[in-house]
Amino acid sequence: MTTTIRTRLALVAGVAVTTLVLAGCSSSGDEPDANSITVSTFPFGVEEFQEAVIDPFTEETGIEVVVDTGSNSDRLSQLQLAGGEPEVDVMLISDYYAALGQEDELFQQVDASAVPSLDEIADFATEEEYVGPAYSYQLNGTMYSTDELTADEAASWSLYGDDDLSGRVALPDISVTAGQLMVSGVADEYGDGPYDIDAALEQLGEWAPGVLQFYSSSTEVTNLLTQGEIVAADSLSGFATDLVASGEPVAWTAPDTGRYMATNRAMIPTGAENVDGANRFIDYLLSEEAQTASAEIVGDLPVNPSATVPDSIEAVVGDIAADPVAAGYSTLDPTELVPTRSEWVDRFAREVTSR
């Protein structure tokens, strides 16, 4: 396999940065502690992540973990301000922000020889455009009311332009993870491919008057659906997991065409103090054991094909979790998205949400 590693786009809403010590404490003095690492991660699901990955990692290796949490943008800004002397050894971050960081040389190449688990994970998690591997991914599709729609109806992009459903559907804003995946899906269906922004915005602009809301959080869209204000919304599959498990008349389906996924990546900052510890953590994170526990406890879709996918996830995505690429899903190329991001966000506001 290649020793360079790649993925594409994903966005997570920002929150204030906090720090939480989950095991042990940070080292004191000027010398780095070989038995301690700092892992920077998302602010949600931290306790579950501790149970699934951090505690077992510490038990197996003796390496204690200090966890720093915050939004993608805040954590990347902190890395930029560190000036090559980061206080973080591993950063778990959405692929779009990983791409931004790579442009500024904020991340170093993960050494494949030091991370044997790289040989075990799916090809889409170890492609060339990123210097750190994907450790989980998110599927875009449609979450819908089973009392109102069939799976076949929900799988069609034309659902969002159906006059009979006007005012009863929702779409994500382009600023969130599902938003870019949705835009590229529409571009693929109605244009010349996932980066045909003109075709996508033209179609979305036509649909906009019948869209009740362009949402920016999972809570927003799940509330709209469970309260009966909408019957369908473009969303990530993970948004539906708890609803389906609780018995709500809700399901999620992949679109017929334009199937895109985002990934979260494990990156080692340039200048990290404990690169050996970072490599060992990433190796464990990608292992069958950690991937299975993370899927069961955190709800992450695993990139290690040997991991066991829990019933709660299979109830939503079915066989797709076994091999998303075989099911027609692909990632988006960050070299196409990063340079155009500001322009596309501005155009989405002018040509879609302002209608």
Side-chain angles (χ1 to χ4, degrees), residues 227-256:
Q227 292 168 7
E229 295 184 58
I230 61 172
V231 298
D234 180 278
S235 83
L236 301 177
S237 59
F239 293 1
T241 305
D242 288 343
L243 296 180
V244 172
S246 68
E248 290 280 349
V250 169
W252 178 93
T253 188
D256 290 331

PDB file of all heavy atoms in Angstrom, residues 227-256:
ATOM      1  N   GLN A 227     -41.152  16.092  15.032  1.00  0.00           N
ATOM      2  CA  GLN A 227     -42.305  16.919  15.355  1.00  0.00           C
ATOM      3  C   GLN A 227     -43.292  17.021  14.198  1.00  0.00           C
ATOM      4  O   GLN A 227     -44.322  17.688  14.308  1.00  0.00           O
ATOM      5  CB  GLN A 227     -41.845  18.314  15.763  1.00  0.00           C
ATOM      6  CG  GLN A 227     -41.096  18.329  17.101  1.00  0.00           C
ATOM      7  CD  GLN A 227     -40.390  19.646  17.381  1.00  0.00           C
ATOM      8  OE1 GLN A 227     -40.549  20.625  16.650  1.00  0.00           O
ATOM      9  NE2 GLN A 227     -39.599  19.672  18.446  1.00  0.00           N
ATOM     10  N   GLY A 228     -42.977  16.357  13.079  1.00  0.00           N
ATOM     11  CA  GLY A 228     -43.896  16.311  11.955  1.00  0.00           C
ATOM     12  C   GLY A 228     -43.900  17.540  11.067  1.00  0.00           C
ATOM     13  O   GLY A 228     -44.763  17.673  10.199  1.00  0.00           O
ATOM     14  N   GLU A 229     -42.927  18.431  11.255  1.00  0.00           N
ATOM     15  CA  GLU A 229     -42.888  19.638  10.425  1.00  0.00           C
ATOM     16  C   GLU A 229     -42.354  19.343   9.032  1.00  0.00           C
ATOM     17  O   GLU A 229     -42.650  20.069   8.082  1.00  0.00           O
ATOM     18  CB  GLU A 229     -42.045  20.713  11.108  1.00  0.00           C
ATOM     19  CG  GLU A 229     -42.624  21.212  12.422  1.00  0.00           C
ATOM     20  CD  GLU A 229     -41.813  22.340  13.012  1.00  0.00           C
ATOM     21  OE1 GLU A 229     -41.646  23.369  12.317  1.00  0.00           O
ATOM     22  OE2 GLU A 229     -41.334  22.199  14.150  1.00  0.00           O
ATOM     23  N   ILE A 230     -41.529  18.307   8.910  1.00  0.00           N
ATOM     24  CA  ILE A 230     -41.033  17.878   7.600  1.00  0.00           C
ATOM     25  C   ILE A 230     -41.226  16.367   7.478  1.00  0.00           C
ATOM     26  O   ILE A 230     -41.418  15.676   8.484  1.00  0.00           O
ATOM     27  CB  ILE A 230     -39.543  18.221   7.390  1.00  0.00           C
ATOM     28  CG1 ILE A 230     -38.672  17.510   8.442  1.00  0.00           C
ATOM     29  CG2 ILE A 230     -39.317  19.730   7.401  1.00  0.00           C
ATOM     30  CD1 ILE A 230     -37.177  17.632   8.195  1.00  0.00           C
ATOM     31  N   VAL A 231     -41.168  15.892   6.244  1.00  0.00           N
ATOM     32  CA  VAL A 231     -41.258  14.442   6.018  1.00  0.00           C
ATOM     33  C   VAL A 231     -39.940  13.868   5.526  1.00  0.00           C
ATOM     34  O   VAL A 231     -39.777  12.644   5.496  1.00  0.00           O
ATOM     35  CB  VAL A 231     -42.374  14.105   5.009  1.00  0.00           C
ATOM     36  CG1 VAL A 231     -43.732  14.546   5.555  1.00  0.00           C
ATOM     37  CG2 VAL A 231     -42.100  14.738   3.640  1.00  0.00           C
ATOM     38  N   ALA A 232     -38.998  14.738   5.149  1.00  0.00           N
ATOM     39  CA  ALA A 232     -37.714  14.252   4.649  1.00  0.00           C
ATOM     40  C   ALA A 232     -36.674  15.358   4.717  1.00  0.00           C
ATOM     41  O   ALA A 232     -36.996  16.542   4.640  1.00  0.00           O
ATOM     42  CB  ALA A 232     -37.838  13.749   3.214  1.00  0.00           C
ATOM     43  N   ALA A 233     -35.411  14.929   4.840  1.00  0.00           N
ATOM     44  CA  ALA A 233     -34.299  15.874   4.831  1.00  0.00           C
ATOM     45  C   ALA A 233     -33.044  15.160   4.363  1.00  0.00           C
ATOM     46  O   ALA A 233     -32.803  14.003   4.720  1.00  0.00           O
ATOM     47  CB  ALA A 233     -34.066  16.462   6.217  1.00  0.00           C
ATOM     48  N   ASP A 234     -32.232  15.849   3.583  1.00  0.00           N
ATOM     49  CA  ASP A 234     -30.912  15.335   3.268  1.00  0.00           C
ATOM     50  C   ASP A 234     -30.106  15.364   4.563  1.00  0.00           C
ATOM     51  O   ASP A 234     -30.073  16.379   5.265  1.00  0.00           O
ATOM     52  CB  ASP A 234     -30.234  16.207   2.211  1.00  0.00           C
ATOM     53  CG  ASP A 234     -28.856  15.704   1.853  1.00  0.00           C
ATOM     54  OD1 ASP A 234     -27.899  16.004   2.600  1.00  0.00           O
ATOM     55  OD2 ASP A 234     -28.731  15.014   0.830  1.00  0.00           O
ATOM     56  N   SER A 235     -29.453  14.238   4.912  1.00  0.00           N
ATOM     57  CA  SER A 235     -28.719  14.201   6.172  1.00  0.00           C
ATOM     58  C   SER A 235     -27.674  13.101   6.173  1.00  0.00           C
ATOM     59  O   SER A 235     -27.688  12.193   5.333  1.00  0.00           O
ATOM     60  CB  SER A 235     -29.669  13.983   7.355  1.00  0.00           C
ATOM     61  OG  SER A 235     -29.962  12.612   7.530  1.00  0.00           O
ATOM     62  N   LEU A 236     -26.786  13.176   7.155  1.00  0.00           N
ATOM     63  CA  LEU A 236     -25.837  12.101   7.395  1.00  0.00           C
ATOM     64  C   LEU A 236     -26.560  10.924   8.032  1.00  0.00           C
ATOM     65  O   LEU A 236     -27.510  11.105   8.795  1.00  0.00           O
ATOM     66  CB  LEU A 236     -24.716  12.585   8.313  1.00  0.00           C
ATOM     67  CG  LEU A 236     -23.913  13.782   7.802  1.00  0.00           C
ATOM     68  CD1 LEU A 236     -22.887  14.208   8.848  1.00  0.00           C
ATOM     69  CD2 LEU A 236     -23.229  13.467   6.479  1.00  0.00           C
ATOM     70  N   SER A 237     -26.075   9.728   7.768  1.00  0.00           N
ATOM     71  CA  SER A 237     -26.747   8.534   8.279  1.00  0.00           C
ATOM     72  C   SER A 237     -26.751   8.493   9.807  1.00  0.00           C
ATOM     73  O   SER A 237     -27.692   7.991  10.417  1.00  0.00           O
ATOM     74  CB  SER A 237     -26.073   7.276   7.733  1.00  0.00           C
ATOM     75  OG  SER A 237     -24.702   7.220   8.106  1.00  0.00           O
ATOM     76  N   GLY A 238     -25.707   9.025  10.422  1.00  0.00           N
ATOM     77  CA  GLY A 238     -25.611   8.993  11.871  1.00  0.00           C
ATOM     78  C   GLY A 238     -26.718   9.752  12.577  1.00  0.00           C
ATOM     79  O   GLY A 238     -27.033   9.460  13.740  1.00  0.00           O
ATOM     80  N   PHE A 239     -27.329  10.725  11.890  1.00  0.00           N
ATOM     81  CA  PHE A 239     -28.422  11.483  12.496  1.00  0.00           C
ATOM     82  C   PHE A 239     -29.625  10.597  12.789  1.00  0.00           C
ATOM     83  O   PHE A 239     -30.441  10.896  13.668  1.00  0.00           O
ATOM     84  CB  PHE A 239     -28.874  12.618  11.573  1.00  0.00           C
ATOM     85  CG  PHE A 239     -27.861  13.713  11.379  1.00  0.00           C
ATOM     86  CD1 PHE A 239     -26.614  13.670  11.976  1.00  0.00           C
ATOM     87  CD2 PHE A 239     -28.163  14.809  10.582  1.00  0.00           C
ATOM     88  CE1 PHE A 239     -25.683  14.686  11.792  1.00  0.00           C
ATOM     89  CE2 PHE A 239     -27.249  15.839  10.395  1.00  0.00           C
ATOM     90  CZ  PHE A 239     -26.006  15.771  10.988  1.00  0.00           C
ATOM     91  N   ALA A 240     -29.752   9.515  12.030  1.00  0.00           N
ATOM     92  CA  ALA A 240     -30.930   8.662  12.152  1.00  0.00           C
ATOM     93  C   ALA A 240     -30.758   7.532  13.157  1.00  0.00           C
ATOM     94  O   ALA A 240     -31.749   6.900  13.549  1.00  0.00           O
ATOM     95  CB  ALA A 240     -31.281   8.066  10.783  1.00  0.00           C
ATOM     96  N   THR A 241     -29.539   7.269  13.596  1.00  0.00           N
ATOM     97  CA  THR A 241     -29.268   6.074  14.404  1.00  0.00           C
ATOM     98  C   THR A 241     -30.106   6.021  15.671  1.00  0.00           C
ATOM     99  O   THR A 241     -30.782   5.023  15.952  1.00  0.00           O
ATOM    100  CB  THR A 241     -27.780   5.984  14.753  1.00  0.00           C
ATOM    101  OG1 THR A 241     -27.005   6.024  13.544  1.00  0.00           O
ATOM    102  CG2 THR A 241     -27.491   4.687  15.491  1.00  0.00           C
ATOM    103  N   ASP A 242     -30.072   7.086  16.465  1.00  0.00           N
ATOM    104  CA  ASP A 242     -30.820   7.087  17.728  1.00  0.00           C
ATOM    105  C   ASP A 242     -32.329   7.059  17.491  1.00  0.00           C
ATOM    106  O   ASP A 242     -33.074   6.417  18.245  1.00  0.00           O
ATOM    107  CB  ASP A 242     -30.449   8.304  18.577  1.00  0.00           C
ATOM    108  CG  ASP A 242     -29.046   8.188  19.176  1.00  0.00           C
ATOM    109  OD1 ASP A 242     -28.505   7.069  19.197  1.00  0.00           O
ATOM    110  OD2 ASP A 242     -28.505   9.224  19.606  1.00  0.00           O
ATOM    111  N   LEU A 243     -32.781   7.755  16.450  1.00  0.00           N
ATOM    112  CA  LEU A 243     -34.210   7.794  16.161  1.00  0.00           C
ATOM    113  C   LEU A 243     -34.724   6.408  15.783  1.00  0.00           C
ATOM    114  O   LEU A 243     -35.777   5.969  16.258  1.00  0.00           O
ATOM    115  CB  LEU A 243     -34.505   8.784  15.037  1.00  0.00           C
ATOM    116  CG  LEU A 243     -34.199  10.253  15.304  1.00  0.00           C
ATOM    117  CD1 LEU A 243     -34.555  11.101  14.088  1.00  0.00           C
ATOM    118  CD2 LEU A 243     -34.947  10.754  16.529  1.00  0.00           C
ATOM    119  N   VAL A 244     -33.983   5.726  14.931  1.00  0.00           N
ATOM    120  CA  VAL A 244     -34.389   4.378  14.514  1.00  0.00           C
ATOM    121  C   VAL A 244     -34.358   3.434  15.713  1.00  0.00           C
ATOM    122  O   VAL A 244     -35.283   2.640  15.928  1.00  0.00           O
ATOM    123  CB  VAL A 244     -33.489   3.865  13.379  1.00  0.00           C
ATOM    124  CG1 VAL A 244     -33.783   2.395  13.085  1.00  0.00           C
ATOM    125  CG2 VAL A 244     -33.680   4.710  12.116  1.00  0.00           C
ATOM    126  N   ALA A 245     -33.304   3.530  16.529  1.00  0.00           N
ATOM    127  CA  ALA A 245     -33.179   2.653  17.688  1.00  0.00           C
ATOM    128  C   ALA A 245     -34.296   2.878  18.708  1.00  0.00           C
ATOM    129  O   ALA A 245     -34.712   1.943  19.401  1.00  0.00           O
ATOM    130  CB  ALA A 245     -31.826   2.868  18.357  1.00  0.00           C
ATOM    131  N   SER A 246     -34.807   4.111  18.774  1.00  0.00           N
ATOM    132  CA  SER A 246     -35.861   4.424  19.747  1.00  0.00           C
ATOM    133  C   SER A 246     -37.248   4.040  19.253  1.00  0.00           C
ATOM    134  O   SER A 246     -38.230   4.167  19.995  1.00  0.00           O
ATOM    135  CB  SER A 246     -35.834   5.923  20.071  1.00  0.00           C
ATOM    136  OG  SER A 246     -36.232   6.696  18.945  1.00  0.00           O
ATOM    137  N   GLY A 247     -37.352   3.589  18.003  1.00  0.00           N
ATOM    138  CA  GLY A 247     -38.637   3.165  17.465  1.00  0.00           C
ATOM    139  C   GLY A 247     -39.419   4.238  16.754  1.00  0.00           C
ATOM    140  O   GLY A 247     -40.583   4.024  16.389  1.00  0.00           O
ATOM    141  N   GLU A 248     -38.803   5.409  16.538  1.00  0.00           N
ATOM    142  CA  GLU A 248     -39.480   6.464  15.786  1.00  0.00           C
ATOM    143  C   GLU A 248     -39.758   5.966  14.363  1.00  0.00           C
ATOM    144  O   GLU A 248     -38.976   5.190  13.802  1.00  0.00           O
ATOM    145  CB  GLU A 248     -38.609   7.719  15.723  1.00  0.00           C
ATOM    146  CG  GLU A 248     -38.460   8.461  17.040  1.00  0.00           C
ATOM    147  CD  GLU A 248     -39.656   9.337  17.358  1.00  0.00           C
ATOM    148  OE1 GLU A 248     -40.510   9.534  16.472  1.00  0.00           O
ATOM    149  OE2 GLU A 248     -39.731   9.827  18.498  1.00  0.00           O
ATOM    150  N   PRO A 249     -40.866   6.411  13.747  1.00  0.00           N
ATOM    151  CA  PRO A 249     -41.160   6.012  12.365  1.00  0.00           C
ATOM    152  C   PRO A 249     -40.276   6.773  11.384  1.00  0.00           C
ATOM    153  O   PRO A 249     -40.731   7.587  10.577  1.00  0.00           O
ATOM    154  CB  PRO A 249     -42.637   6.389  12.207  1.00  0.00           C
ATOM    155  CG  PRO A 249     -42.822   7.554  13.134  1.00  0.00           C
ATOM    156  CD  PRO A 249     -41.932   7.276  14.315  1.00  0.00           C
ATOM    157  N   VAL A 250     -38.988   6.494  11.479  1.00  0.00           N
ATOM    158  CA  VAL A 250     -37.969   7.210  10.701  1.00  0.00           C
ATOM    159  C   VAL A 250     -37.021   6.189  10.091  1.00  0.00           C
ATOM    160  O   VAL A 250     -36.710   5.164  10.707  1.00  0.00           O
ATOM    161  CB  VAL A 250     -37.186   8.197  11.604  1.00  0.00           C
ATOM    162  CG1 VAL A 250     -35.960   8.749  10.882  1.00  0.00           C
ATOM    163  CG2 VAL A 250     -38.084   9.332  12.075  1.00  0.00           C
ATOM    164  N   ALA A 251     -36.547   6.471   8.898  1.00  0.00           N
ATOM    165  CA  ALA A 251     -35.531   5.644   8.252  1.00  0.00           C
ATOM    166  C   ALA A 251     -34.580   6.560   7.493  1.00  0.00           C
ATOM    167  O   ALA A 251     -34.828   7.769   7.350  1.00  0.00           O
ATOM    168  CB  ALA A 251     -36.166   4.619   7.319  1.00  0.00           C
ATOM    169  N   TRP A 252     -33.506   5.985   7.021  1.00  0.00           N
ATOM    170  CA  TRP A 252     -32.515   6.710   6.211  1.00  0.00           C
ATOM    171  C   TRP A 252     -32.203   5.867   4.996  1.00  0.00           C
ATOM    172  O   TRP A 252     -32.155   4.629   5.083  1.00  0.00           O
ATOM    173  CB  TRP A 252     -31.248   6.942   7.023  1.00  0.00           C
ATOM    174  CG  TRP A 252     -30.142   7.641   6.278  1.00  0.00           C
ATOM    175  CD1 TRP A 252     -29.878   8.980   6.245  1.00  0.00           C
ATOM    176  CD2 TRP A 252     -29.135   7.024   5.454  1.00  0.00           C
ATOM    177  NE1 TRP A 252     -28.782   9.241   5.464  1.00  0.00           N
ATOM    178  CE2 TRP A 252     -28.306   8.050   4.963  1.00  0.00           C
ATOM    179  CE3 TRP A 252     -28.860   5.695   5.094  1.00  0.00           C
ATOM    180  CZ2 TRP A 252     -27.229   7.805   4.130  1.00  0.00           C
ATOM    181  CZ3 TRP A 252     -27.783   5.449   4.249  1.00  0.00           C
ATOM    182  CH2 TRP A 252     -26.986   6.494   3.781  1.00  0.00           C
ATOM    183  N   THR A 253     -32.013   6.518   3.852  1.00  0.00           N
ATOM    184  CA  THR A 253     -31.662   5.773   2.652  1.00  0.00           C
ATOM    185  C   THR A 253     -30.611   6.522   1.856  1.00  0.00           C
ATOM    186  O   THR A 253     -30.540   7.766   1.886  1.00  0.00           O
ATOM    187  CB  THR A 253     -32.894   5.525   1.768  1.00  0.00           C
ATOM    188  OG1 THR A 253     -32.541   4.635   0.696  1.00  0.00           O
ATOM    189  CG2 THR A 253     -33.437   6.815   1.173  1.00  0.00           C
ATOM    190  N   ALA A 254     -29.776   5.774   1.156  1.00  0.00           N
ATOM    191  CA  ALA A 254     -28.799   6.374   0.250  1.00  0.00           C
ATOM    192  C   ALA A 254     -29.523   6.889  -0.989  1.00  0.00           C
ATOM    193  O   ALA A 254     -30.533   6.321  -1.408  1.00  0.00           O
ATOM    194  CB  ALA A 254     -27.760   5.336  -0.157  1.00  0.00           C
ATOM    195  N   PRO A 255     -29.044   7.977  -1.594  1.00  0.00           N
ATOM    196  CA  PRO A 255     -29.661   8.449  -2.832  1.00  0.00           C
ATOM    197  C   PRO A 255     -29.395   7.484  -3.981  1.00  0.00           C
ATOM    198  O   PRO A 255     -28.420   6.719  -3.950  1.00  0.00           O
ATOM    199  CB  PRO A 255     -28.984   9.807  -3.071  1.00  0.00           C
ATOM    200  CG  PRO A 255     -27.672   9.700  -2.368  1.00  0.00           C
ATOM    201  CD  PRO A 255     -27.904   8.810  -1.182  1.00  0.00           C
ATOM    202  N   ASP A 256     -30.252   7.534  -4.981  1.00  0.00           N
ATOM    203  CA  ASP A 256     -30.054   6.666  -6.148  1.00  0.00           C
ATOM    204  C   ASP A 256     -28.734   6.976  -6.840  1.00  0.00           C
ATOM    205  O   ASP A 256     -28.048   6.077  -7.339  1.00  0.00           O
ATOM    206  CB  ASP A 256     -31.210   6.859  -7.145  1.00  0.00           C
ATOM    207  CG  ASP A 256     -32.518   6.289  -6.630  1.00  0.00           C
ATOM    208  OD1 ASP A 256     -32.478   5.317  -5.848  1.00  0.00           O
ATOM    209  OD2 ASP A 256     -33.579   6.825  -7.010  1.00  0.00           O
TER     210      ASP A 256
END
